[in-house]
Amino acid sequence: MTRVNPLLLDTSSPPIPLAQGWARRYAGTRGPLIDLAQAVPGYPPHPEILEALAAAASSPLMAGYGAILGDQDLRDRYAAHVGQTFDTAIRPGEVAITSGCNQAFFVAVLALAKAGEAIILPTPWYFNHKMTLDMLGIEARAVPASAEDGFVPDPDRIAAAIDERVRAVVLISPNNPTGAVYPPETLAAIFRVCRERGVALVLDETYRDFLADAGTKPHGLFDDPDWRDTLVELYSFSKSFCIPGHRLGAVIAGEEFLAEFAKVMDCVQICAPRAGQHALAATLEPMTAWREENRREIIGRAAAFRQAAGRLDGWRLDAIGAYFAFLRHPFDAKAADVAERLAVDRGVLCLPGSYFGPGNEHHLRIAFANADRAAIESLPDRFLNLTTGWNQ
Protein backbone atom coordinates (compact mmCIF):
# COMPACT_ATOMS: atom_id res chain seq x y z
CA MET A 1 0.00 0.00 0.00
CA THR A 2 1.15 3.52 -0.74
CA ARG A 3 2.52 5.14 2.40
CA VAL A 4 0.00 7.47 3.98
CA ASN A 5 -0.09 9.88 6.87
CA PRO A 6 0.20 7.77 10.06
CA LEU A 7 -2.29 10.05 11.79
CA LEU A 8 -4.85 9.02 9.17
CA LEU A 9 -4.09 5.33 9.75
CA ASP A 10 -4.83 5.87 13.44
CA THR A 11 -8.16 7.61 12.70
CA SER A 12 -11.31 5.51 12.97
CA SER A 13 -13.06 4.57 9.74
CA PRO A 14 -16.45 6.18 8.95
CA PRO A 15 -18.99 4.27 11.07
CA ILE A 16 -22.12 4.77 8.95
CA PRO A 17 -21.02 2.35 6.17
CA LEU A 18 -20.29 -0.32 8.79
CA ALA A 19 -23.80 -0.04 10.19
CA GLN A 20 -25.25 -0.07 6.70
CA GLY A 21 -23.48 -3.39 6.18
CA TRP A 22 -25.55 -4.84 9.02
CA ALA A 23 -28.72 -3.67 7.28
CA ARG A 24 -27.75 -5.46 4.08
CA ARG A 25 -27.89 -8.73 6.02
CA TYR A 26 -31.51 -8.19 7.05
CA ALA A 27 -33.79 -10.69 5.29
CA GLY A 28 -36.96 -8.59 5.49
CA THR A 29 -38.78 -11.00 7.81
CA ARG A 30 -40.20 -8.20 9.98
CA GLY A 31 -41.20 -5.88 7.18
CA PRO A 32 -39.33 -3.02 5.53
CA LEU A 33 -36.08 -1.84 7.09
CA ILE A 34 -36.56 1.05 9.52
CA ASP A 35 -33.44 3.18 9.10
CA LEU A 36 -32.73 5.19 12.24
CA ALA A 37 -28.98 5.48 11.67
CA GLN A 38 -27.87 8.49 9.64
CA ALA A 39 -29.56 11.84 10.22
CA VAL A 40 -31.31 12.28 6.89
CA PRO A 41 -34.54 14.27 6.40
CA GLY A 42 -37.42 11.84 6.11
CA TYR A 43 -39.24 13.88 3.47
CA PRO A 44 -38.19 15.63 0.21
CA PRO A 45 -37.35 19.29 -0.36
CA HIS A 46 -40.18 21.67 -1.17
CA PRO A 47 -40.96 21.76 -4.94
CA GLU A 48 -39.94 25.42 -5.08
CA ILE A 49 -36.52 24.55 -3.67
CA LEU A 50 -36.12 21.85 -6.31
CA GLU A 51 -37.17 24.30 -9.02
CA ALA A 52 -34.69 26.88 -7.76
CA LEU A 53 -31.92 24.27 -7.69
CA ALA A 54 -32.70 23.18 -11.25
CA ALA A 55 -32.77 26.75 -12.54
CA ALA A 56 -29.49 27.61 -10.82
CA ALA A 57 -27.76 24.44 -12.02
CA SER A 58 -28.64 25.29 -15.64
CA SER A 59 -27.26 28.82 -15.40
CA PRO A 60 -23.80 29.42 -16.92
CA LEU A 61 -23.21 32.03 -14.21
CA MET A 62 -23.23 29.31 -11.55
CA ALA A 63 -20.58 27.25 -13.38
CA GLY A 64 -17.77 29.65 -12.50
CA TYR A 65 -15.86 30.14 -9.28
CA GLY A 66 -17.54 32.16 -6.56
CA ALA A 67 -16.31 34.16 -3.61
CA ILE A 68 -14.30 32.14 -1.11
CA LEU A 69 -16.60 32.92 1.83
CA GLY A 70 -19.78 32.54 -0.20
CA ASP A 71 -21.89 34.40 -2.73
CA GLN A 72 -23.00 37.76 -1.41
CA ASP A 73 -26.74 37.26 -1.86
CA LEU A 74 -26.80 34.24 0.45
CA ARG A 75 -24.49 35.86 2.98
CA ASP A 76 -26.80 38.89 3.05
CA ARG A 77 -29.95 36.84 3.50
CA TYR A 78 -28.49 34.44 6.02
CA ALA A 79 -27.11 37.29 8.12
CA ALA A 80 -30.58 38.84 8.18
CA HIS A 81 -32.17 35.48 9.01
CA VAL A 82 -29.85 34.80 11.94
CA GLY A 83 -30.24 38.37 13.14
CA GLN A 84 -34.00 37.87 13.23
CA THR A 85 -33.68 34.48 14.97
CA PHE A 86 -31.50 35.91 17.74
CA ASP A 87 -32.91 39.44 17.80
CA THR A 88 -29.54 40.97 17.06
CA ALA A 89 -27.52 42.47 14.23
CA ILE A 90 -25.30 40.13 12.21
CA ARG A 91 -23.24 41.64 9.42
CA PRO A 92 -22.88 39.78 6.11
CA GLY A 93 -19.12 40.06 6.57
CA GLU A 94 -19.52 37.86 9.66
CA VAL A 95 -20.96 35.00 7.56
CA ALA A 96 -19.08 32.32 5.65
CA ILE A 97 -20.78 29.70 3.48
CA THR A 98 -19.21 26.24 3.43
CA SER A 99 -19.75 22.87 1.81
CA GLY A 100 -21.77 21.48 4.70
CA CYS A 101 -21.32 21.81 8.44
CA ASN A 102 -18.64 19.10 8.58
CA GLN A 103 -16.48 21.27 6.36
CA ALA A 104 -17.30 24.30 8.48
CA PHE A 105 -15.97 22.41 11.50
CA PHE A 106 -12.88 21.14 9.67
CA VAL A 107 -11.91 24.58 8.40
CA ALA A 108 -12.65 26.24 11.73
CA VAL A 109 -10.44 23.72 13.55
CA LEU A 110 -7.58 24.31 11.13
CA ALA A 111 -7.95 28.03 11.74
CA LEU A 112 -7.95 27.60 15.53
CA ALA A 113 -5.42 24.91 16.41
CA LYS A 114 -2.32 23.11 15.23
CA ALA A 115 -0.96 19.62 15.78
CA GLY A 116 -0.02 19.07 19.41
CA GLU A 117 -2.67 21.42 20.76
CA ALA A 118 -6.02 20.36 22.19
CA ILE A 119 -9.74 20.97 21.73
CA ILE A 120 -12.34 19.98 24.30
CA LEU A 121 -15.13 17.67 23.12
CA PRO A 122 -17.81 16.79 25.67
CA THR A 123 -18.76 13.15 25.42
CA PRO A 124 -20.78 11.63 23.92
CA TRP A 125 -19.14 13.39 20.97
CA TYR A 126 -20.01 13.52 17.28
CA PHE A 127 -17.69 10.98 15.66
CA ASN A 128 -16.75 13.19 12.69
CA HIS A 129 -15.51 15.85 15.11
CA LYS A 130 -13.28 13.27 16.81
CA MET A 131 -12.06 11.91 13.47
CA THR A 132 -11.17 15.42 12.30
CA LEU A 133 -9.06 16.15 15.36
CA ASP A 134 -7.34 12.75 15.20
CA MET A 135 -6.25 13.15 11.59
CA LEU A 136 -4.95 16.67 12.28
CA GLY A 137 -2.92 15.58 15.29
CA ILE A 138 -5.01 17.68 17.69
CA GLU A 139 -5.92 16.13 21.02
CA ALA A 140 -9.64 15.55 21.48
CA ARG A 141 -9.91 16.17 25.21
CA ALA A 142 -12.99 14.39 26.51
CA VAL A 143 -15.17 15.95 29.21
CA PRO A 144 -17.91 13.44 30.02
CA ALA A 145 -21.57 14.42 30.28
CA SER A 146 -23.77 11.86 32.01
CA ALA A 147 -27.32 10.61 31.73
CA GLU A 148 -27.87 11.81 35.29
CA ASP A 149 -27.18 15.35 34.08
CA GLY A 150 -29.36 14.94 31.00
CA PHE A 151 -26.15 14.76 28.92
CA VAL A 152 -25.70 18.51 29.42
CA PRO A 153 -22.00 19.40 29.90
CA ASP A 154 -20.86 20.86 33.22
CA PRO A 155 -19.20 24.31 32.88
CA ASP A 156 -17.01 23.61 35.92
CA ARG A 157 -15.70 20.36 34.43
CA ILE A 158 -14.95 22.15 31.18
CA ALA A 159 -13.12 24.92 33.04
CA ALA A 160 -11.05 22.34 34.92
CA ALA A 161 -10.04 20.67 31.63
CA ILE A 162 -8.65 23.85 30.06
CA ASP A 163 -4.89 24.28 30.17
CA GLU A 164 -2.33 26.09 28.03
CA ARG A 165 -2.71 23.54 25.19
CA VAL A 166 -6.48 23.97 24.78
CA ARG A 167 -7.52 26.23 21.91
CA ALA A 168 -11.31 25.71 21.82
CA VAL A 169 -14.35 24.08 23.38
CA VAL A 170 -16.84 22.42 21.00
CA LEU A 171 -20.55 22.17 21.83
CA ILE A 172 -23.48 20.81 19.80
CA SER A 173 -26.97 21.94 20.79
CA PRO A 174 -29.43 20.40 20.13
CA ASN A 175 -26.94 17.62 20.55
CA ASN A 176 -25.82 14.90 18.21
CA PRO A 177 -25.88 12.08 19.34
CA THR A 178 -28.02 12.47 22.47
CA GLY A 179 -30.62 15.02 21.37
CA ALA A 180 -30.03 17.02 24.58
CA VAL A 181 -30.85 20.72 24.30
CA TYR A 182 -28.45 22.81 26.36
CA PRO A 183 -30.15 25.46 28.54
CA PRO A 184 -29.26 29.07 27.64
CA GLU A 185 -27.72 29.57 31.07
CA THR A 186 -25.38 26.60 30.53
CA LEU A 187 -24.28 27.96 27.17
CA ALA A 188 -23.74 31.37 28.75
CA ALA A 189 -21.66 29.87 31.57
CA ILE A 190 -19.43 27.92 29.15
CA PHE A 191 -19.11 31.03 26.96
CA ARG A 192 -17.87 32.99 30.00
CA VAL A 193 -15.35 30.26 30.82
CA CYS A 194 -14.03 30.34 27.24
CA ARG A 195 -13.83 34.14 27.17
CA GLU A 196 -12.05 34.32 30.52
CA ARG A 197 -9.57 31.60 29.56
CA GLY A 198 -8.93 32.99 26.08
CA VAL A 199 -10.17 29.99 24.09
CA ALA A 200 -12.80 29.82 21.34
CA LEU A 201 -16.29 28.43 21.80
CA VAL A 202 -17.28 26.50 18.68
CA LEU A 203 -21.06 26.04 18.82
CA ASP A 204 -22.65 23.69 16.27
CA GLU A 205 -26.36 24.52 15.90
CA THR A 206 -27.20 22.30 12.95
CA TYR A 207 -30.50 21.25 14.57
CA ARG A 208 -31.66 24.56 16.08
CA ASP A 209 -34.59 24.85 13.65
CA PHE A 210 -36.23 21.82 15.30
CA LEU A 211 -36.40 23.14 18.86
CA ALA A 212 -39.73 22.53 20.56
CA ASP A 213 -40.08 26.16 21.68
CA ALA A 214 -40.93 28.04 18.50
CA GLY A 215 -40.08 31.70 18.49
CA THR A 216 -37.75 31.52 21.49
CA LYS A 217 -34.14 32.27 20.65
CA PRO A 218 -31.87 29.37 21.60
CA HIS A 219 -29.45 31.52 23.62
CA GLY A 220 -28.25 35.06 24.19
CA LEU A 221 -24.59 34.68 23.24
CA PHE A 222 -24.88 37.16 20.38
CA ASP A 223 -26.11 39.76 22.89
CA ASP A 224 -22.59 40.04 24.31
CA PRO A 225 -20.95 43.02 22.55
CA ASP A 226 -17.66 41.11 22.44
CA TRP A 227 -19.02 37.79 21.15
CA ARG A 228 -16.76 38.01 18.10
CA ASP A 229 -13.68 37.51 20.27
CA THR A 230 -14.88 34.08 21.46
CA LEU A 231 -17.78 32.57 19.49
CA VAL A 232 -17.63 30.57 16.25
CA GLU A 233 -21.15 29.42 15.38
CA LEU A 234 -21.76 26.60 12.89
CA TYR A 235 -24.92 25.66 10.98
CA SER A 236 -26.12 23.29 8.28
CA PHE A 237 -28.81 23.87 5.66
CA SER A 238 -29.05 20.11 5.08
CA LYS A 239 -31.77 19.26 7.57
CA SER A 240 -33.98 22.36 7.51
CA PHE A 241 -34.08 22.49 3.71
CA CYS A 242 -33.79 18.70 3.09
CA ILE A 243 -30.76 19.09 0.83
CA PRO A 244 -27.90 17.14 2.47
CA GLY A 245 -26.58 16.08 -0.93
CA HIS A 246 -26.05 19.68 -1.99
CA ARG A 247 -23.59 20.21 0.89
CA LEU A 248 -24.17 23.69 2.27
CA GLY A 249 -23.36 25.00 5.72
CA ALA A 250 -22.54 28.31 7.33
CA VAL A 251 -20.28 29.92 9.91
CA ILE A 252 -20.84 33.09 11.89
CA ALA A 253 -17.74 34.60 13.48
CA GLY A 254 -15.79 37.83 13.72
CA GLU A 255 -14.46 39.19 10.45
CA GLU A 256 -10.83 38.97 11.60
CA PHE A 257 -11.25 35.26 12.29
CA LEU A 258 -13.02 34.70 8.96
CA ALA A 259 -10.08 36.31 7.14
CA GLU A 260 -7.91 33.46 8.45
CA PHE A 261 -10.71 30.94 7.89
CA ALA A 262 -10.76 32.01 4.21
CA LYS A 263 -7.12 30.95 3.77
CA VAL A 264 -8.06 27.38 4.67
CA MET A 265 -11.26 27.46 2.66
CA ASP A 266 -9.40 28.59 -0.46
CA CYS A 267 -7.09 25.57 -0.23
CA VAL A 268 -9.79 23.05 0.66
CA GLN A 269 -12.67 24.02 -1.62
CA ILE A 270 -12.24 27.53 -3.07
CA CYS A 271 -15.99 28.09 -2.72
CA ALA A 272 -19.10 26.20 -1.65
CA PRO A 273 -21.38 24.79 -4.42
CA ARG A 274 -22.87 27.81 -6.13
CA ALA A 275 -26.12 26.43 -7.52
CA GLY A 276 -27.23 25.51 -4.03
CA GLN A 277 -26.19 28.89 -2.70
CA HIS A 278 -28.27 30.65 -5.31
CA ALA A 279 -31.30 28.44 -4.66
CA LEU A 280 -31.07 29.01 -0.90
CA ALA A 281 -30.78 32.76 -1.31
CA ALA A 282 -34.00 32.69 -3.33
CA THR A 283 -35.93 30.44 -0.94
CA LEU A 284 -34.58 31.13 2.56
CA GLU A 285 -37.43 33.41 3.61
CA PRO A 286 -40.20 32.14 1.28
CA MET A 287 -39.80 28.68 2.90
CA THR A 288 -40.43 29.96 6.43
CA ALA A 289 -43.95 28.49 6.71
CA TRP A 290 -42.87 25.16 5.16
CA ARG A 291 -39.97 24.89 7.58
CA GLU A 292 -42.33 25.54 10.46
CA GLU A 293 -44.50 22.64 9.26
CA ASN A 294 -41.39 20.46 9.21
CA ARG A 295 -40.47 21.53 12.73
CA ARG A 296 -43.90 20.47 13.96
CA GLU A 297 -43.64 17.18 12.10
CA ILE A 298 -40.28 16.39 13.74
CA ILE A 299 -41.70 17.30 17.16
CA GLY A 300 -44.54 14.88 16.45
CA ARG A 301 -42.06 12.14 15.56
CA ALA A 302 -40.19 12.83 18.80
CA ALA A 303 -43.43 12.45 20.75
CA ALA A 304 -44.18 9.20 18.91
CA PHE A 305 -40.74 7.83 19.75
CA ARG A 306 -41.08 8.86 23.38
CA GLN A 307 -44.32 6.87 23.55
CA ALA A 308 -42.78 3.90 21.75
CA ALA A 309 -39.77 3.88 24.08
CA GLY A 310 -42.14 3.81 27.04
CA ARG A 311 -43.43 0.46 25.79
CA LEU A 312 -39.97 -1.13 25.62
CA ASP A 313 -39.61 -3.34 28.68
CA GLY A 314 -36.27 -2.75 30.41
CA TRP A 315 -35.11 -0.04 28.01
CA ARG A 316 -34.72 3.59 29.16
CA LEU A 317 -34.92 6.82 27.21
CA ASP A 318 -32.13 8.96 28.68
CA ALA A 319 -32.31 11.94 26.29
CA ILE A 320 -34.35 13.10 23.31
CA GLY A 321 -34.59 16.28 21.25
CA ALA A 322 -34.56 17.68 17.71
CA TYR A 323 -33.44 14.72 15.54
CA PHE A 324 -32.07 12.23 18.05
CA ALA A 325 -32.69 10.07 21.09
CA PHE A 326 -30.17 8.27 23.29
CA LEU A 327 -31.72 4.97 24.33
CA ARG A 328 -30.25 2.80 27.09
CA HIS A 329 -30.42 -0.93 26.35
CA PRO A 330 -30.93 -3.50 29.15
CA PHE A 331 -28.37 -6.09 28.10
CA ASP A 332 -24.99 -7.22 29.42
CA ALA A 333 -23.55 -6.74 25.95
CA LYS A 334 -21.64 -4.28 23.84
CA ALA A 335 -23.70 -1.58 22.18
CA ALA A 336 -22.42 -2.62 18.74
CA ASP A 337 -23.63 -6.19 19.31
CA VAL A 338 -27.08 -4.95 20.29
CA ALA A 339 -27.25 -2.61 17.29
CA GLU A 340 -26.10 -5.36 14.93
CA ARG A 341 -28.74 -7.78 16.28
CA LEU A 342 -31.47 -5.16 15.86
CA ALA A 343 -30.42 -4.54 12.27
CA VAL A 344 -29.89 -8.13 11.14
CA ASP A 345 -32.75 -9.83 13.01
CA ARG A 346 -35.34 -7.08 13.45
CA GLY A 347 -34.73 -4.68 10.55
CA VAL A 348 -34.10 -1.66 12.80
CA LEU A 349 -30.89 0.17 11.94
CA CYS A 350 -29.41 2.48 14.56
CA LEU A 351 -25.93 3.33 15.83
CA PRO A 352 -24.22 2.02 18.96
CA GLY A 353 -23.32 4.56 21.62
CA SER A 354 -19.72 3.35 21.48
CA TYR A 355 -19.37 5.15 18.13
CA PHE A 356 -19.68 8.40 20.08
CA GLY A 357 -16.87 8.03 22.55
CA PRO A 358 -15.94 6.04 25.66
CA GLY A 359 -18.47 5.23 28.35
CA ASN A 360 -21.45 4.76 26.01
CA GLU A 361 -21.65 0.97 25.68
CA HIS A 362 -25.12 0.93 27.24
CA HIS A 363 -26.71 3.28 24.70
CA LEU A 364 -27.96 3.37 21.13
CA ARG A 365 -28.38 6.52 19.09
CA ILE A 366 -31.77 6.71 17.41
CA ALA A 367 -32.22 9.17 14.51
CA PHE A 368 -36.01 9.15 14.82
CA ALA A 369 -36.50 12.04 12.38
CA ASN A 370 -35.67 9.65 9.52
CA ALA A 371 -38.85 7.61 9.98
CA ASP A 372 -42.51 8.51 9.73
CA ARG A 373 -44.81 8.11 12.72
CA ALA A 374 -46.24 4.79 11.55
CA ALA A 375 -42.76 3.25 11.42
CA ILE A 376 -41.90 4.70 14.82
CA GLU A 377 -45.09 3.33 16.36
CA SER A 378 -44.20 -0.14 15.07
CA LEU A 379 -40.86 -0.21 16.87
CA PRO A 380 -42.00 -1.91 20.11
CA ASP A 381 -43.00 -5.01 18.15
CA ARG A 382 -39.57 -5.12 16.54
CA PHE A 383 -37.78 -4.81 19.90
CA LEU A 384 -39.94 -7.42 21.65
CA ASN A 385 -38.03 -10.41 23.12
CA LEU A 386 -34.65 -9.22 21.84
CA THR A 387 -32.89 -11.28 24.53
CA THR A 388 -31.50 -14.40 22.85
CA GLY A 389 -27.86 -14.92 23.77
CA TRP A 390 -27.72 -12.20 26.44
CA ASN A 391 -28.46 -11.94 30.11
CA GLN A 392 -30.70 -9.08 31.19
Side-chain angles (χ1 to χ4, degrees):
M1 184 181 76
T2 302
R3 293 181 63 187
V4 299
N5 182 346
L7 292 176
L8 200 58
L9 290 174
D10 292 337
T11 298
S12 299
S13 297
I16 295 290
L18 175 60
Q20 290 171 337
W22 298 335
R24 286 192 289 272
R25 291 160 50 199
Y26 172 57
T29 54
R30 299 271 179 159
L33 178 77
I34 301 176
D35 188 348
L36 306 174
Q38 193 171 20
V40 179
Y43 39 81
H46 191 281
E48 291 183 20
I49 296 176
L50 294 174
E51 290 173 7
L53 285 165
S58 65
S59 169
L61 295 176
M62 296 296 107
Y65 287 123
I68 295 171
L69 292 181
D71 286 358
Q72 195 61 50
D73 55 352
L74 182 54
R75 294 175 76 190
D76 290 344
R77 287 169 173 78
Y78 185 64
H81 169 75
V82 174
Q84 184 178 24
T85 299
F86 289 94
D87 191 24
T88 190
I90 302 294
R91 297 189 291 266
E94 295 165 344
V95 173
I97 304 301
T98 60
S99 183
C101 195
N102 270 5
Q103 186 185 75
F105 179 79
F106 196 99
V107 176
V109 164
L110 273 173
L112 287 168
K114 65 179 184 293
E117 294 181 324
I119 288 178
I120 289 176
L121 297 184
T123 58
W125 55 43
Y126 174 42
F127 48 73
N128 280 152
H129 287 175
K130 175 63 161 54
M131 291 169 65
T132 294
L133 299 185
D134 286 349
M135 67 180 64
L136 293 175
I138 298 168
E139 177 194 349
R141 186 165 298 177
V143 176
S146 67
E148 291 71 25
D149 297 326
F151 291 109
V152 174
D154 185 327
D156 291 335
R157 290 182 186 174
I158 287 176
I162 296 175
D163 60 20
E164 68 280 356
R165 291 177 53 233
V166 171
R167 299 289 293 122
V169 174
V170 175
L171 302 178
I172 309 173
S173 181
N175 186 255
N176 177 8
T178 68
V181 178
Y182 300 166
E185 55 270 23
T186 299
L187 293 173
I190 297 173
F191 175 85
R192 287 194 297 270
V193 167
C194 292
R195 181 180 60 194
E196 292 165 2
R197 304 294 289 274
V199 303
L201 173 58
V202 179
L203 177 58
D204 183 335
E205 296 192 282
T206 291
Y207 302 95
R208 69 165 184 244
D209 293 329
F210 302 99
L211 289 167
D213 297 328
T216 301
K217 66 181 183 180
H219 55 77
L221 301 187
F222 290 115
D223 295 339
D224 189 306
D226 298 320
W227 69 263
R228 298 164 184 84
D229 297 332
T230 302
L231 183 61
V232 179
E233 194 258 8
L234 312 181
Y235 178 76
S236 171
F237 296 98
S238 296
K239 310 306 188 291
S240 296
F241 289 84
C242 305
I243 52 169
H246 288 279
R247 309 308 306 132
L248 286 167
V251 178
I252 293 179
E255 293 186 49
E256 290 184 4
F257 174 78
L258 288 183
E260 304 307 312
F261 183 97
K263 297 176 184 178
V264 185
M265 189 69 183
D266 187 44
C267 293
V268 171
Q269 176 99 6
I270 299 180
C271 65
R274 297 194 65 209
Q277 289 190 65
H278 185 79
L280 281 177
T283 58
L284 185 61
E285 291 309 317
M287 291 295 105
T288 298
W290 175 74
R291 292 165 64 203
E292 172 59 16
E293 291 176 7
N294 293 340
R295 185 189 69 83
R296 293 177 181 175
E297 173 61 26
I298 295 303
I299 290 171
R301 295 184 186 194
F305 185 79
R306 189 184 297 275
Q307 291 180 351
R311 296 167 52 200
L312 302 179
D313 187 29
W315 299 68
R316 189 177 77 201
L317 183 60
D318 279 342
I320 187 169
Y323 254 58
F324 304 109
F326 223 45
L327 185 66
R328 185 180 180 90
H329 69 76
F331 307 111
D332 183 16
K334 294 181 179 180
D337 292 338
V338 178
E340 181 178 10
R341 180 72 61 83
L342 275 170
V344 176
D345 292 354
R346 305 302 177 92
V348 178
L349 182 62
C350 57
L351 297 185
S354 52
Y355 284 4
F356 302 93
N360 299 301
E361 284 290 1
H362 293 292
H363 287 91
L364 304 177
R365 190 197 76 171
I366 309 295
F368 60 79
N370 298 8
D372 61 26
R373 296 188 210 191
I376 292 171
E377 290 166 358
S378 73
L379 288 173
D381 291 337
R382 302 267 185 130
F383 279 68
L384 186 64
N385 296 326
L386 187 74
T387 58
T388 303
W390 296 316
N391 295 319
Q392 285 190 282

